[in-house]
Amino acid sequence: MKRSNTGASVQFAAQLSHMQSPPVLIVGAGPAGLVMALSLLQNDVPVRIIEKDKAHHTGQRGAAIMPRTIELYNFLGVLPDIYKHSSPSIPMQSFEMPGGKVPLKQWRMSPVLEPTPANPWPNSTMLGQDTAERLLREHIRPFGCEVELGSQLVSLVQTEEYVEATLTKFVDGREVTETTQVKWLIGADGGRSTVRKQLGLSFLGESRKERHIIADVHVTGLDMHNLHLFGGGESGTVLIWPNERKDGDLMTVYATGPDADYDAMAKDYSVFKAYVEKKLGRPDIALGDSTWLTDYHPNIRMVDTFQQGRVFLAGDAAHVHSLTGGQGMNTSVQDSFNLGWKLALVERHLASPTLLASYTEERLPVVAEVLNITTDLFNKYVSATRERGGWVRGGKLKQLYVNYRWSSIIVDGRASAVGDLVKNPYGNVVDANGGGELELLRAGDRAPDAPDLLLDNERTSLFKIFSPSWHTVLMFSSFPVSKMQSSLDKYMNRGLLRAYVVSRQAVQGDEGNQVHGVHGKLLVDTKGYAHKHYGVGLDTPTVVIVRPDGVVGAIALDDNDVVKYFSGVFAG
């Protein structure tokens, strides 16, 4: 099956390149800003994205892409490029410091899991943030969208109708001030966010006393297939982390210790180089040239709202995390993916602006929990010696368990009918980590995959059908559609959803255009994975509605629940 989820025509891209004031201004071109841009562009919403830095970001930074983010990159059509340039996670080994040459221990931060029908990508992959950003820029370029480097937000004022933003940028060596009016403004401009400060929002949390100097360095004398941990605990730590390219020698070096002169190392790479080489006490390990260096002060903070009027925050502008291997980046991507489809519907006058309130409602509790988890890990890390405690990942950090069950736009007729804690009758098939029994899939949960489906006699899967540009309606068994039919027709005709009837066997005489009286396609669940993963019995009429962000928006046992969900999302 040929998959198309861009939702934007060549004509749209050509028009965008000539527009003076797109309706959405995105401030900040990191992962959050770029994913936001791509999500909106794929929904036919023009954007402008600016970045205050005069050059694109360098440095690996948050290099671990977690399984849930991998799934979102799949929906956006970016995943083939991500896998082309990334590498699997690698083991970690610890050494004495100084002078240790023989590894004391070796372990994996997260166990390597086999793919399952519900979870085709259970393991993280490693990709420097600078490379990930480059790939995302390449995906927004066909829409006529380019990052405007050296453009900085100075101030903003918003009314009920628009946001007026004042920008500065350099043109031919001269600083130029520009004032522009946009309908929506997204602040994805990092932990020191100008947008957040302009809104006057509190940034609640703490600044930690710990400090690290981090640099990307050409290192010789160490292999590229392990993470190398030297020392640990109060005496200081040097961590050397190979980048995703295994045919070179570029590695990220983290250094911290009670005898470190952080100010001097931050100003002069040669001081950092000398300190690390002295701490290692390994003449066979040599630090060469550096391509990037930063002075890292851990902050653990978040806002108490992600929206004020027509202005939104995403990523580090809304929350900053301790040093935990990419959780901030992964959480940022999911912020943007949650907001993107909602803002697109509102901007296209297909939903009421009240839908946007669900962004804070859904993401705020998730971010608070992620901060709790990452802070606990960081505390273990700073107190760790050569034990594994501070260096174990997996579980919740894969973010496959993130859910929005409490959201006001979620409709769960099955939970209301059978109770909240009913176990999945098919066992642990929706367990993303391959062990233990999970409760029955609930509305608000991540929608699992189901392979070995037949659509128009071609083999496909749910993850090839889901898209950030439409809702996916899965109708199991002979669901009564008397009231639902008009809703389906209305939204399908406007390109807002794709409807499928999921059956264990082909319907005789059906040509795929109309099944059980419903204007949708037939999906033959040849091995029963869709029924199993969504907890649907063969004799249980059920409708599952999957949102554009790959979250189960509704589980309906009757047509009233279907109508209720559509009314809540597309109201107005």
Side-chain angles (χ1 to χ4, degrees):
M1 172 184 171
K2 185 178 180 180
R3 179 167 175 260
S4 174
N5 67 350
T6 62
S9 63
V10 174
Q11 181 181 6
F12 164 72
Q15 291 172 342
L16 176 58
S17 65
H18 293 90
M19 293 186 65
Q20 297 300 313
S21 298
V24 180
L25 174 63
I26 300 172
V27 181
L34 291 165
V35 168
M36 181 70 72
L38 186 56
S39 297
L40 291 169
L41 290 166
Q42 290 186 354
N43 279 281
D44 291 357
V45 176
V47 304
R48 178 183 183 186
I49 180 167
I50 64 172
E51 168 58 51
K52 67 178 181 180
D53 292 338
K54 296 179 181 179
H56 294 303
H57 302 145
T58 58
Q60 286 200 86
R61 304 173 191 256
I65 302 178
M66 294 298 168
R68 183 54 178 163
T69 305
I70 291 173
E71 293 179 355
L72 304 189
Y73 281 151
N74 168 66
F75 301 146
L76 287 167
V78 181
L79 189 56
D81 287 334
I82 294 292
Y83 271 136
K84 180 179 178 181
H85 292 86
S86 66
S87 64
S89 59
I90 55 180
M92 174 174 262
Q93 54 187 13
S94 62
F95 299 85
E96 293 279 4
M97 188 173 75
K101 290 188 176 182
V102 179
L104 300 172
K105 294 179 181 292
Q106 187 177 69
W107 67 92
R108 285 192 173 272
M109 297 175 72
S110 180
V112 177
L113 301 177
E114 292 297 321
T116 67
N119 181 18
W121 305 295
N123 303 301
S124 61
T125 191
M126 307 305 298
L127 182 67
Q129 190 168 312
D130 50 356
T131 303
E133 290 178 9
R134 175 177 61 80
L135 297 176
L136 289 167
R137 290 195 300 271
E138 290 174 359
H139 278 263
I140 68 172
R141 190 166 294 126
F143 297 92
C145 183
E146 295 279 356
V147 174
E148 298 179 31
L149 294 171
S151 295
Q152 184 170 359
L153 176 77
V154 176
S155 63
L156 66 87
V157 177
Q158 60 176 318
T159 71
E160 292 185 0
E161 302 297 329
Y162 60 86
V163 181
E164 184 173 279
T166 300
L167 314 176
T168 59
K169 55 185 177 181
F170 283 88
V171 178
D172 297 328
R174 296 184 303 108
E175 186 177 77
V176 175
T177 300
E178 173 193 356
T179 300
T180 185
Q181 290 184 358
V182 294
K183 295 180 67 176
W184 313 97
L185 189 145
I186 313 295
D189 51 339
R192 297 183 175 89
S193 171
T194 300
V195 175
R196 185 186 67 244
K197 293 173 182 177
Q198 285 288 308
L199 295 177
L201 295 178
S202 299
F203 208 31
L204 308 174
E206 62 172 330
S207 297
R208 299 292 296 254
K209 65 179 181 179
E210 295 85 8
R211 194 171 172 183
H212 301 74
I213 302 297
I214 309 172
D216 282 358
V217 181
H218 291 280
V219 179
T220 57
L222 289 173
D223 70 83
M224 295 288 289
H225 303 287
N226 290 280
L227 304 177
H228 310 278
L229 173 64
F230 295 88
E234 295 181 356
S235 64
T237 301
V238 173
L239 173 64
I240 302 180
W241 187 312
N243 80 347
E244 66 273 6
R245 286 182 58 89
K246 303 307 179 192
D247 57 349
D249 59 4
L250 186 65
M251 306 191 189
T252 300
V253 181
Y254 302 73
T256 183
D259 54 346
D261 186 341
Y262 293 107
D263 291 335
M265 289 194 293
K267 294 177 182 177
D268 187 343
Y269 168 69
S270 66
V271 178
F272 172 78
K273 176 180 181 293
Y275 176 79
V276 171
E277 290 181 340
K278 180 180 178 181
K279 295 290 284 188
L280 291 177
R282 291 271 304 271
D284 57 316
I285 301 175
L287 274 64
D289 294 337
S290 174
T291 60
W292 169 76
L293 183 145
T294 188
D295 184 3
Y296 177 69
H297 301 253
N299 280 281
I300 303 168
R301 298 181 179 277
M302 66 180 293
V303 293
D304 56 6
T305 181
F306 285 30
Q307 176 188 6
Q308 189 178 99
R310 291 180 170 272
V311 182
F312 304 85
L313 297 177
D316 286 357
H319 47 84
V320 289
H321 304 247
S322 52
L323 191 66
T324 52
Q327 284 302 303
M329 182 273 292
N330 286 273
T331 305
S332 299
V333 168
Q334 293 176 53
D335 288 346
S336 295
F337 209 62
N338 181 285
L339 176 60
W341 69 273
K342 299 171 183 176
L343 184 58
L345 287 176
V346 174
E347 170 56 25
R348 293 166 61 196
H349 306 289
L350 297 169
S352 167
T354 58
L355 175 65
L356 300 173
S358 67
Y359 173 50
T360 291
E361 179 188 11
E362 293 180 350
R363 291 303 296 167
L364 196 66
V366 169
V367 170
E369 177 62 15
V370 172
L371 279 175
N372 288 335
I373 294 170
T374 55
T375 301
D376 180 62
L377 277 173
F378 185 71
N379 290 335
K380 291 178 180 178
Y381 155 71
V382 297
S383 63
T385 55
R386 287 174 293 276
E387 300 300 321
R388 296 176 56 218
W391 301 102
V392 176
R393 302 293 186 264
K396 290 185 177 180
L397 292 183
K398 295 188 175 186
Q399 302 201 358
L400 294 167
Y401 295 116
V402 169
N403 69 81
Y404 308 128
R405 295 179 180 182
W406 59 85
S407 173
S408 60
I409 63 173
I410 293 296
V411 176
D412 198 330
R414 183 163 65 187
S416 301
V418 301
D420 290 351
L421 300 178
V422 173
K423 298 295 182 182
N424 190 327
Y426 296 98
N428 66 352
V429 292
V430 295
D431 187 342
N433 280 317
E437 183 176 282
L438 295 181
E439 56 193 75
L440 189 67
L441 186 76
R442 290 274 307 275
D445 291 350
R446 157 195 173 268
D449 195 11
D452 293 304
L453 304 173
L454 287 181
L455 175 62
D456 294 336
N457 293 318
E458 292 187 12
R459 196 163 296 274
T460 188
S461 69
L462 290 182
F463 275 11
K464 293 180 181 178
I465 292 172
F466 296 159
S467 168
S469 298
W470 59 71
H471 280 74
T472 303
V473 180
L474 304 174
M475 294 169 283
F476 292 86
S477 294
S478 53
F479 189 86
V481 294
S482 55
K483 293 183 180 179
M484 193 175 70
Q485 185 66 68
S486 61
S487 294
L488 287 178
D489 288 344
K490 176 170 62 175
Y491 299 122
M492 287 179 68
N493 292 337
R494 302 178 76 175
L496 299 177
L497 60 85
R498 302 287 188 273
Y500 302 90
V501 172
V502 185
S503 175
R504 283 304 310 273
Q505 59 186 0
V507 178
Q508 295 296 322
D510 174 70
E511 295 182 355
N513 295 319
Q514 186 169 344
V515 185
H516 298 313
V518 179
H519 293 290
K521 293 272 188 171
L522 174 66
L523 276 179
V524 182
D525 190 13
T526 64
K527 295 187 178 180
Y529 291 131
H531 285 78
K532 290 181 180 181
H533 299 170
Y534 288 82
V536 179
L538 297 180
D539 58 350
T540 307
T542 304
V543 169
V544 176
I545 303 174
V546 179
R547 307 189 326 186
D549 58 354
V551 170
V552 178
I555 298 177
L557 300 184
D558 61 50
D559 45 6
N560 290 325
D561 288 334
V562 175
V563 174
K564 180 180 179 182
Y565 176 78
F566 285 145
S567 299
V569 170
F570 298 115

